[in-house]
């Protein structure tokens, strides 16, 4: 349950602040990995509205991270931090998380 509360907290941070610290971006990414790992793999039932909101915010934060990363300069302290975090908001992992949420052909 704590990971769902953290997701709501991160959603609030992204909605209310124009500058998101790098550590918050990292924490948010790790929390989403936890959500997908626990909720989806263990088949924990959540209301459909919650699932929609989680996926919507996941994609919003991914987009926000891509924009943030594209604007970084090499002399920015966050540039060095992100260069050490190769898997942070990695496109392949984001795609895999989304594919995992979609029903497989055998589910229909």
């Amino acid at each position: 349950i704590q990971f769902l509360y953290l997701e709501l907290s991160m959603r609030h941070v992204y909605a209310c602040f124009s500058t998101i610290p790098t550590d918050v971006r990292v924490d948010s990414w790790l929390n989403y990995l936890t959500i997908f790992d626990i909720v989806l793999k263990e088949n924990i039932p959540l209301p459909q509205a919650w699932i929609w909101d989680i996926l919507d915010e996941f994609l919003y934060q991914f987009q926000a991270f891509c924009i943030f990363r594209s604007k970084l300069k090499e002399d920015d302290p966050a540039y060095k931090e992100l260069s050490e975090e190769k898997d942070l908001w990695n496109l392949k992992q984001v795609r895999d998380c989304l594919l995992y949420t979609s029903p497989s052909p055998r589910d229909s």
Side-chain angles (χ1 to χ4, degrees), residues 3 34-47 51 100-101 103 107:
F3 56 88
T34 301
I35 289 171
F36 288 118
D37 190 48
I38 293 174
V39 173
L40 296 174
K41 290 182 182 174
E42 295 183 18
N43 205 19
I44 296 175
L46 292 176
I51 295 169
Y100 195 77
T101 64
D107 291 342

Side-chain angles (χ1 to χ4, degrees), residues 73-88:
K73 307 287 186 226
E74 287 188 29
D75 59 344
D76 192 315
Y79 184 86
K80 186 175 189 295
E81 286 180 63
L82 294 179
S83 64
E84 295 169 2
E85 297 281 348
K86 297 291 185 197
D87 292 335
L88 184 64

Side-chain angles (χ1 to χ4, degrees), residues 40-41 99-100 102-108:
L40 296 174
K41 290 182 182 174
L99 285 174
Y100 195 77
S102 64
S104 64
R106 66 179 179 274
D107 291 342
S108 32

Side-chain angles (χ1 to χ4, degrees), residues 47-102:
Q48 287 184 352
W50 287 19
I51 295 169
W52 175 266
D53 288 343
I54 289 169
L55 289 173
D56 183 58
E57 187 66 20
F58 175 72
L59 290 172
Y60 169 76
Q61 289 186 26
F62 172 62
Q63 178 188 21
F65 178 79
C66 290
I67 292 168
F68 166 75
R69 183 174 48 199
S70 72
K71 292 180 178 180
L72 281 180
K73 307 287 186 226
E74 287 188 29
D75 59 344
D76 192 315
Y79 184 86
K80 186 175 189 295
E81 286 180 63
L82 294 179
S83 64
E84 295 169 2
E85 297 281 348
K86 297 291 185 197
D87 292 335
L88 184 64
W89 290 104
N90 175 296
L91 178 60
K92 183 183 180 315
Q93 285 185 293
V94 169
R95 181 196 62 129
D96 290 347
C97 288
L98 293 173
L99 285 174
Y100 195 77
T101 64
S102 64

